[in-house]
Amino acid sequence: MEGVDLSAVSLRPFRISDADDFLSFAGDDQVTRFMRWNTLASREEALATIRDVCMPHPWRRAVCVGDRCVGFVSIWPGSGDDRCRADIGYGVAREWWGKGVATRALRMTLSQVFGDLPDVLRIQAFVGADNKASQRVLEKAGFTRDGLLRKYAYLKGTLQDLYLYSFLSTDVVPAAAD
Amino acid sequence: MEEQKQKTAPTSGGSSGGGKISLRPLQLSDVDDFMVWATDPEVARFCRWEPYTSRDDGLAYIAGTALPHPYFRAICLDGRPVGCLSVTRNEDRMEACRGELSYALGSGYWGRGIAAEAVRMAVAEVFRERPELERVEAIVYAENKASQRVLEKAGFTREGLLRKYVVIKGRTRDAFMFSRLSTD
């Protein structure tokens, strides 16, 4: 039993008024641990990030439960020869883990983003080999694991093996378990 | 660990079918040899570029791309350039562990193990020269079976198939990711 009404999950653009909610997850080391982001340390940093990164972003959405922002999903499209592919990143506040929120947010993303970014045919996610929770979220949302990229990049000072997952515009999101 | 008198002294290695393979920087004076493989549609078939049509474009490529490149080498057979290869360098500290290999060999020299030997030599050299490099990777289009065999012979591991990875010449292509680690 997951404990949250997933129909209350929605995606919308970020607002300046999300700053406190944003800080509560982007300021949490447990959430940013597997992300490129440095953990935010103040409301000012949260405001600056929303204003300078989230709002002008090609495709970044606040993940909301009701009207409360509890996470984010970002899509970074490539350009030129790489325009058919886009990288996805996401994070959810710790108190919303294990309730199906991230999976629901990804499903909603996959149903919207290909219409918004028509050049994009492939969405891919790089996930740490030890980040089992995120691997499960991607698999439940219908991503295919393409392979293990050995010693691919550093994350917070540690050289990482990363799994590469993908979802194509022609792939089908599996039916929800609930 | 050999001592090199110059930073870019030629690397010599094995021989194949009676020729000695070596690597050295590509020079402007190599342009006529360069044009042999650069104008070849068989070579360009699975590459991002169209066959070259003008010697001036060849000179521009050597001057603008090959000469300033962090690692760009002519593949030489008995001292004469018959192809080229390169390994990129990422300036970002978090990505500097990784470099991408590209190569091209004149079609008249295919099927003799030359590309595989050149790749082996280049990978060994670039791992020696760049201590921060942990991984050399290569992205090869799914239809390019010959290039996949080159990488397998050169000791690369095939890590996976990346569907609809890149647009080449107007078409979206599937590609295989291959890699070789400094510890392999």
Side-chain angles (χ1 to χ4, degrees), chain A residues 68-89:
Chain A
R68 176 145 177 237
C69 167
V70 303
F72 75 95
V73 181
S74 301
I75 303 283
W76 299 94
S79 57
D81 292 343
D82 301 330
R83 64 191 179 276
C84 60
R85 105 182 155 256
D87 289 352
I88 187 169

Side-chain angles (χ1 to χ4, degrees), chain B residues 10-183:
Chain B
T11 306
S12 295
S15 59
S16 173
K20 184 167 183 180
I21 299 163
S22 61
L23 304 178
R24 62 159 173 78
L26 192 68
Q27 308 290 2
L28 288 165
S29 51
D30 295 321
V31 64
D32 292 321
D33 288 332
F34 172 82
M35 291 300 279
V36 173
W37 71 81
T39 57
D40 185 342
E42 280 297 300
V43 176
R45 188 168 162 218
F46 294 117
C47 297
R48 292 176 189 238
W49 43 273
E50 295 293 348
Y52 280 63
T53 52
S54 101
R55 202 170 175 272
D56 283 346
D57 288 345
L59 287 168
Y61 178 82
I62 296 172
T65 299
L67 289 180
H69 199 284
Y71 187 89
F72 194 109
R73 295 289 182 269
I75 301 171
C76 295
L77 192 63
D78 296 327
R80 183 154 183 194
V82 295
C84 61
L85 50 71
S86 62
V87 178
T88 63
R89 185 177 65 203
N90 288 320
E91 298 306 324
D92 182 332
R93 208 167 27 92
M94 293 195 301
E95 322 279 342
C97 54
R98 189 169 83 242
E100 185 180 343
L101 169 74
S102 303
Y103 52 88
L105 183 69
S107 58
Y109 298 94
W110 290 4
R112 291 160 58 177
I114 295 172
E117 178 60 17
V119 166
R120 268 196 292 268
M121 289 163 54
V123 169
E125 183 174 51
V126 78
F127 278 137
R128 273 197 307 272
E129 284 184 5
R130 271 190 237 169
E132 71 280 11
L133 189 65
E134 305 272 353
R135 167 190 176 91
V136 174
E137 63 185 25
I139 293 165
V140 187
Y141 310 120
E143 312 104 331
N144 191 352
K145 306 275 184 243
S147 199
Q148 291 156 35
R149 280 194 298 273
V150 166
L151 293 169
E152 283 157 9
K153 281 198 280 184
F156 278 63
T157 299
R158 193 167 92 180
E159 290 173 330
L161 177 67
L162 312 181
R163 304 169 299 154
K164 297 195 181 171
Y165 191 70
V166 65
V167 180
I168 299 294
K169 295 170 179 165
R171 276 179 37 213
T172 316
R173 314 283 177 132
D174 295 347
F176 286 108
M177 173 70 84
F178 281 81
S179 73
R180 187 168 166 96
L181 304 186
S182 59
T183 49

Side-chain angles (χ1 to χ4, degrees), chain A residues 73-139:
Chain A
V73 181
S74 301
I75 303 283
W76 299 94
S79 57
D81 292 343
D82 301 330
R83 64 191 179 276
C84 60
R85 105 182 155 256
D87 289 352
I88 187 169
Y90 57 90
V92 169
R94 210 180 341 158
E95 61 267 32
W96 295 96
W97 289 3
K99 302 180 194 306
V101 172
T103 304
R104 178 63 160 234
L106 286 200
R107 290 168 183 279
M108 296 174 76
T109 297
L110 295 175
S111 71
Q112 295 175 21
V113 69
F114 294 110
D116 292 345
L117 302 174
D119 282 345
V120 174
L121 304 177
R122 167 190 173 88
I123 303 238
Q124 54 180 31
F126 293 88
V127 189
D130 51 353
N131 188 353
K132 303 274 184 249
S134 201
Q135 290 161 32
R136 276 195 300 274
V137 167
L138 290 165
E139 284 157 11

Side-chain angles (χ1 to χ4, degrees), chain A residues 15-174:
Chain A
R15 302 170 185 152
I16 292 290
S17 53
D18 291 326
D20 291 322
D21 289 340
F22 190 72
L23 181 62
S24 80
F25 63 82
D28 181 349
D29 283 339
Q30 289 296 306
V31 174
T32 61
R33 190 174 143 214
F34 291 112
M35 291 164 45
R36 287 293 167 99
W37 297 15
N38 290 321
T39 312
L40 297 188
S42 69
R43 195 167 186 277
E44 285 64 41
E45 282 184 37
L47 281 166
T49 305
I50 292 176
R51 188 190 59 226
D52 300 336
V53 182
C54 299
M55 291 173 75
H57 197 284
W59 204 102
R60 177 173 284 181
R61 298 288 181 269
V63 176
C64 297
V65 177
D67 199 45
R68 176 145 177 237
C69 167
V70 303
F72 75 95
V73 181
S74 301
I75 303 283
W76 299 94
S79 57
D81 292 343
D82 301 330
R83 64 191 179 276
C84 60
R85 105 182 155 256
D87 289 352
I88 187 169
Y90 57 90
V92 169
R94 210 180 341 158
E95 61 267 32
W96 295 96
W97 289 3
K99 302 180 194 306
V101 172
T103 304
R104 178 63 160 234
L106 286 200
R107 290 168 183 279
M108 296 174 76
T109 297
L110 295 175
S111 71
Q112 295 175 21
V113 69
F114 294 110
D116 292 345
L117 302 174
D119 282 345
V120 174
L121 304 177
R122 167 190 173 88
I123 303 238
Q124 54 180 31
F126 293 88
V127 189
D130 51 353
N131 188 353
K132 303 274 184 249
S134 201
Q135 290 161 32
R136 276 195 300 274
V137 167
L138 290 165
E139 284 157 11
K140 284 195 285 180
F143 280 72
T144 300
R145 194 158 91 181
D146 293 341
L148 179 67
L149 310 183
R150 304 168 303 154
K151 295 191 180 175
Y152 193 75
Y154 281 92
L155 181 67
K156 306 206 160 138
T158 307
L159 190 57
Q160 301 272 308
D161 294 341
L162 300 177
Y163 282 112
L164 182 60
Y165 282 81
S166 65
F167 189 95
L168 304 187
S169 58
T170 48
D171 287 345
V172 175
V173 181

